[in-house]
């Protein structure tokens, strides 16, 4: 099943910030695939659901701790 996100969702990925445009669900035995257009160069990439984090949104109070992949790497070093 493919779900088009309307509007798209701003997300953080290991390759940077991007707009999630589609979600592909292959079934209960595989993780969901997110189709993301990267902000820096517009390249379209597919990410496993474990590699996508919702970007901070102060209006809706979402991800206010700014959980991103750079912070995870830094906290793992400690």
């Amino acid at each position: 099943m493919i779900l088009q996100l309307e509007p798209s969702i701003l997300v953080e990925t290991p390759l940077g910030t991007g707009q999630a445009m589609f979600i592909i669900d292959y079934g209960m035995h595989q993780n969901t695939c997110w189709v993301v257009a990267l902000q820096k160069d517009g390249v379209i990439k597919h990410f496993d659901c474990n590699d996508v984090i919702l970007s901070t949104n102060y209006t809706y109070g979402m991800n206010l701790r700014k959980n991103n992949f750079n912070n995870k790497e830094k906290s793992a070093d400690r």
Side-chain angles (χ1 to χ4, degrees), residues 12-42:
E12 303 294 330
T13 73
L15 299 178
T17 302
Q19 293 286 331
M21 302 182 309
F22 298 97
I23 298 174
I24 303 172
D25 184 6
Y26 292 109
M28 65 184 196
H29 298 293
Q30 290 185 342
N31 287 341
T32 305
C33 176
W34 288 64
V35 180
V36 178
L38 298 177
Q39 190 173 35
K40 64 183 173 189
D41 53 14

Side-chain angles (χ1 to χ4, degrees), residues 7 27 52 63:
V52 177
N63 193 12

Side-chain angles (χ1 to χ4, degrees), residues 36-78:
V36 178
L38 298 177
Q39 190 173 35
K40 64 183 173 189
D41 53 14
V43 172
I44 307 294
K45 293 286 186 181
H46 294 80
F47 293 96
D48 184 86
C49 63
N50 295 321
D51 293 330
V52 177
I53 298 173
L54 184 66
S55 292
T56 300
N57 185 319
Y58 294 102
T59 302
Y60 294 108
M62 312 252 340
N63 193 12
L64 297 180
R65 292 186 297 165
K66 294 189 177 185
N67 295 317
N68 62 39
F69 290 96
N70 292 332
N71 287 344
K72 281 186 175 183
E73 292 168 3
K74 290 177 185 175
S75 63
D77 294 336
R78 294 181 186 176

